[in-house]
Amino acid sequence: MAEQLLEQARQWVVWDPNAETRAAVQKLIDDNDSNGLKAAFGSRISFGTAGLRAAMGAGTALINDLIIIQTVQGLCKYLFKVLGEEETRKRGIAIGYDHRKRGSINSKNFALYTASVCLSK
């Protein structure tokens, strides 16, 4: 499992658009911090009835820019499959955000990433 977590962390560093969370994960890798890697990558936050709910931070277990990007990509794919691309575009989506912030991770950026992903589809 340790090797799998390490590989996930390495991939994260390649994909993460946020310099702060990317550096935090790189530090876990460089320090060979198995407990930190397990905390950050040992699970994946799931989308439930209340949406995505987790503390803000780096890794698949927490909410952050990359998790938002990946989740919205999946949501767009789902809507296109269920409603069709034309109907999804016709209906549109509403995007909001609140005041939550932790370092460079914040809800406003989550909303901007959400809009960017939706517009790119």
Side-chain angles (χ1 to χ4, degrees):
M1 177 151 177
E3 188 58 39
Q4 182 182 10
L5 294 177
L6 191 55
E7 187 53 40
Q8 286 179 358
R10 286 183 182 129
Q11 186 61 65
W12 185 274
V13 170
V14 172
W15 288 343
D16 190 356
N18 185 301
E20 182 181 319
T21 53
R22 192 172 55 244
V25 171
Q26 187 62 57
K27 182 169 178 14
L28 293 174
I29 294 167
D30 294 345
D31 293 349
N32 199 25
D33 183 347
S34 58
N35 288 333
L37 287 168
K38 187 173 183 181
F41 294 96
S43 64
R44 183 168 181 101
I45 128 181
S46 61
F47 194 92
T49 56
L52 293 174
R53 309 279 295 174
M56 292 180 175
T60 58
L62 303 170
I63 194 163
N64 52 65
D65 296 341
L66 184 54
I67 288 294
I68 293 297
I69 291 167
Q70 291 174 337
T71 301
V72 175
Q73 287 170 335
L75 180 60
C76 288
K77 185 176 179 179
Y78 171 80
L79 290 173
F80 286 174
K81 180 179 179 183
V82 171
L83 299 175
E85 198 169 325
E86 184 178 328
E87 185 64 22
T88 299
R89 291 182 191 288
K90 180 179 163 187
R91 290 185 186 197
I93 62 167
I95 302 168
Y97 62 92
D98 58 25
H99 67 281
R100 287 178 296 145
K101 178 179 180 174
R102 181 176 178 221
S104 64
I105 308 169
N106 63 73
S107 293
K108 183 176 182 180
N109 281 348
F110 293 166
L112 293 171
Y113 278 120
T114 298
S116 295
V117 170
C118 291
L119 289 171
S120 73
K121 298 292 179 188

